[in-house]
Amino acid sequence: MTPQTGTQAIDRAARLLTLVVQSEEPRSFTSLAEDSDLAKSTTSRLLQALERHHLVRRDRDGAYRPGPLFTGYAARHDPVDDLVQVAEPTLQRMGDAVGETVNLSVPRGETVVQVAQVDSTYRLSATNWLDVDTPPHCSALGKVFYAYGTLPLPTGRLERRTGRTLTSRTALERDLAQVVRRGFAVTHEELEPGLSAIAAPVRHRDGAVIAAVSVSGPTTRIEERIDELSRLLVAETKRLSAALGYRPGKARKDGAA
Amino acid sequence: MTPQTGTQAIDRAARLLTLVVQSEEPRSFTSLAEDSDLAKSTTSRLLQALERHHLVRRDRDGAYRPGPLFTGYAARHDPVDDLVQVAEPTLQRMGDAVGETVNLSVPRGETVVQVAQVDSTYRLSATNWLDVDTPPHCSALGKVFYAYGTLPLPTGRLERRTGRTLTSRTALERDLAQVVRRGFAVTHEELEPGLSAIAAPVRHRDGAVIAAVSVSGPTTRIEERIDELSRLLVAETKRLSAALGYRPGKARKDGAA
DNA sequence: CTCCAGAGTTCCATATTATGGAACCTAACT
DNA sequence: AGTTAGGTTCCATAATATGGAACTCTGGAG
């Protein structure tokens, strides 16, 4: 299944390429040679081959950056599709661990769109579901986007869905402040009786909140496990954010095996 | 400068990788082996190495698709940055050819943002200039976005900037219909006396107009060369659209309700 | 159930290919 | 003119990739 042999040159070239693509800063020749433990001559030959094939390019300082094959790919693709790809393992893992519905959503316009979901049968389904019937202030996902300023706060009045819906602006703002403090949002039957959810932000390289992940299910099941669920949710969204290039503080990255 | 030697394995692997990344459809093992003229055994070994390094992945049908290194890169990057990278050669070439200012713009919110520019000194400069002072209906770029429905038509009244500004909705709509018919937009001193411009759309893989390129300069110089300039502009924007994956003819559009 | 074809993987003797130390180049400093 | 840092080229060597053939697996068709 895995011939680790007969591919030394490719293994080395791939290692160099990964170094270039993964690091956000352009890499110098020397730093690449050191980090990959290759002789200068070998590094030079491999990088030249990669450059010839448009996998890397050199900027005017001579530093290596991802090449036209990467920029072209990125320009051709909807970043949301790629977010879904990257998030898939996270969602799958969470679905397996908690046995509840897990959702990945992004903001669009003034509202929230679900872009992937793992339901309680553990099956991943890619959705593109603009849920017009869920006002953001009633959903955990929406609260995350409000709390971190990704969606502008609603200007009209706050529709009441259940007895627990937050309908006053001060109540909502107090809740949003708590979201930021805790790092995740909670809704207890604010959209629908019997339904609860928690959600946490996914951050991008520049720190912007670009998506959110939620776990939702019957209030009884969610409430009794809320500590466990929120810990898992926050851990997984942090990990996903890291995969997207977000570095809280200054973190050094090493070979994530 | 270019040792074409000592890198056979990498050259071959890069060829395979390029085939996978460039084709929008997933590629089967056999089609890759044929198109690259490699023995089955070699193809197998190389693809396994690429897969091990996350450069390609196999979907559940066994077909090869771009791997996590590509999707991860795309998810981490602003697609506009990558658009600028891809468009750079186009803009440079046009600037050299026409000796006038060339602009690349994208829509944002309700207006137009310039993201790259080659001025008449032929120097490329990356800008990120939200030109609040240019209402889209007075600019060739804005007209392109209106004409192809990328920007919603303005709801308020149309501000008059010069004697030639189109201020009536019917005049504007007639002009926009002509833009679609001709394939490019023209403004003759509608923003500022003495200034003229032409602009054409850049299309994305799914056919959506995601950007526009303009050539602008003094009315005297623009008007006398308008045939030449528009031919070049349309040819170059078509080429750029093709580089972004647009295939005129098969206008595929997925119903994303 | 058996046979066949298509798709892909593994094996292994061979020689072609990648390797890396040393020499070399070229700016940028001093 | 001298030095260093960053990078490229050379070339004898042996380690590496190669590809034909054998093999496995899967899904029909008879």
Side-chain angles (χ1 to χ4, degrees):
Chain A
M1 183 94 188
T2 26
Q4 310 275 3
T5 180
T7 55
Q8 193 197 53
I10 295 178
D11 291 345
R12 292 170 160 191
R15 222 156 67 224
L16 286 172
L17 180 57
T18 302
L19 283 171
V20 171
V21 174
Q22 299 283 34
S23 56
E24 291 304 337
E25 298 305 312
R27 299 288 306 243
S28 76
F29 175 91
T30 308
S31 84
L32 290 170
E34 281 173 2
D35 286 4
S36 60
D37 283 313
L38 296 174
K40 284 197 302 176
S41 51
T42 304
T43 307
S44 180
R45 197 159 16 83
L46 297 183
L47 284 173
Q48 282 181 46
L50 292 176
E51 186 176 6
R52 210 167 340 113
H53 291 287
H54 308 299
L55 288 163
V56 303
R57 69 187 181 86
R58 309 193 71 165
D59 61 22
R60 55 199 56 178
D61 302 330
Y64 289 91
R65 308 168 112 284
L69 202 63
F70 285 88
T71 52
Y73 177 87
R76 280 197 307 275
H77 281 76
D78 185 342
V80 170
D81 290 344
D82 294 292
L83 171 65
V84 172
Q85 299 269 355
V86 173
E88 182 168 335
T90 299
L91 302 181
Q92 203 69 261
R93 209 164 39 228
M94 289 183 64
D96 290 354
V98 304
E100 301 288 354
T101 299
V102 179
N103 264 294
L104 175 70
S105 293
V106 297
R108 186 170 303 163
E110 314 240 298
T111 181
V112 175
V113 186
Q114 325 234 64
V115 293
Q117 168 167 331
V118 177
D119 59 28
S120 14
T121 65
Y122 311 155
R123 274 265 302 286
L124 181 91
S125 56
T127 65
N128 194 345
W129 181 27
L130 198 148
D131 192 349
V132 288
D133 208 36
T134 305
H137 74 280
C138 311
S139 83
L141 291 161
K143 282 187 187 175
V144 168
F145 292 129
Y146 283 155
Y148 291 93
T150 310
L151 280 182
L153 283 177
T155 53
R157 70 176 200 84
L158 301 172
E159 187 189 347
R160 169 172 299 283
R161 282 309 186 84
T162 73
R164 307 182 80 159
T165 305
L166 302 177
T167 54
S168 93
R169 205 154 298 267
T170 41
L172 180 60
E173 277 165 11
R174 202 158 43 230
D175 197 275
L176 297 179
Q178 207 182 21
V179 169
V180 174
R181 210 160 45 240
R182 282 194 301 213
F184 62 97
V186 180
T187 49
H188 276 315
E189 318 201 319
E190 291 159 40
L191 175 65
E192 213 174 281
L195 187 68
S196 289
I198 60 176
V202 176
R203 289 170 186 277
H204 198 240
R205 178 167 144 234
D206 57 13
V209 172
I210 53 153
V213 175
S214 72
V215 176
S216 55
T219 300
T220 47
R221 291 213 301 264
I222 299 291
E223 264 186 338
E224 69 188 10
R225 302 170 67 193
I226 193 156
D227 282 351
E228 174 208 346
L229 294 177
S230 60
R231 239 192 322 272
L232 179 77
L233 175 67
V234 168
E236 287 288 1
T237 50
K238 278 198 174 145
R239 195 165 153 185
L240 178 54
S241 298
L244 293 170
Y246 177 56
R247 297 281 174 272
K250 59 167 184 178
R252 254 196 66 83
K253 70 174 177 118
D254 50 11
Chain B
M1 186 101 187
T2 27
Q4 310 275 3
T5 179
T7 55
Q8 193 198 50
I10 295 178
D11 291 345
R12 292 170 161 192
R15 223 155 67 224
L16 287 172
L17 180 57
T18 303
L19 283 172
V20 170
V21 174
Q22 299 283 33
S23 57
E24 291 303 339
E25 300 303 315
R27 298 288 308 240
S28 76
F29 175 89
T30 309
S31 84
L32 290 170
E34 280 173 1
D35 287 4
S36 60
D37 282 313
L38 295 175
K40 282 195 305 175
S41 52
T42 305
T43 307
S44 179
R45 198 161 12 84
L46 297 182
L47 284 173
Q48 282 181 45
L50 292 176
E51 187 176 5
R52 211 170 335 115
H53 291 285
H54 307 297
L55 288 163
V56 302
R57 68 185 182 88
R58 309 193 72 166
D59 61 21
R60 57 198 56 180
D61 302 331
Y64 289 91
R65 307 168 112 287
L69 202 64
F70 285 88
T71 52
Y73 177 88
R76 281 197 306 276
H77 281 77
D78 185 341
V80 169
D81 290 344
D82 294 291
L83 171 66
V84 172
Q85 299 268 355
V86 173
E88 183 168 334
T90 299
L91 303 180
Q92 202 68 281
R93 208 164 40 226
M94 288 182 65
D96 291 353
V98 305
E100 301 288 355
T101 299
V102 179
N103 265 292
L104 175 71
S105 293
V106 297
R108 187 170 303 164
E110 313 242 298
T111 180
V112 176
V113 187
Q114 323 235 62
V115 293
Q117 167 167 335
V118 177
D119 60 27
S120 15
T121 66
Y122 310 161
R123 274 264 302 285
L124 180 92
S125 56
T127 65
N128 195 342
W129 181 27
L130 198 148
D131 193 348
V132 287
D133 208 35
T134 304
H137 72 280
C138 311
S139 84
L141 291 161
K143 283 187 188 176
V144 168
F145 293 129
Y146 282 155
Y148 291 92
T150 310
L151 281 182
L153 284 177
T155 52
R157 69 176 200 85
L158 301 171
E159 187 188 346
R160 168 172 300 284
R161 282 308 186 85
T162 73
R164 307 182 80 160
T165 305
L166 302 177
T167 54
S168 92
R169 204 152 299 264
T170 42
L172 179 61
E173 275 165 12
R174 201 157 46 229
D175 196 275
L176 296 180
Q178 207 182 21
V179 169
V180 174
R181 210 159 45 240
R182 281 195 302 213
F184 63 96
V186 180
T187 49
H188 276 315
E189 317 200 319
E190 291 158 41
L191 174 65
E192 212 174 283
L195 186 68
S196 288
I198 60 176
V202 176
R203 289 171 186 276
H204 198 241
R205 176 164 149 239
D206 58 12
V209 172
I210 53 152
V213 175
S214 73
V215 176
S216 56
T219 299
T220 46
R221 291 214 301 263
I222 298 292
E223 264 187 337
E224 70 187 10
R225 301 170 67 193
I226 194 157
D227 283 351
E228 173 207 348
L229 293 178
S230 59
R231 239 190 324 269
L232 179 76
L233 175 67
V234 168
E236 287 287 1
T237 51
K238 279 199 172 144
R239 197 166 150 184
L240 178 54
S241 298
L244 293 171
Y246 177 57
R247 298 283 173 273
K250 65 166 179 182
R252 276 185 56 86
K253 178 69 182 156
D254 299 319

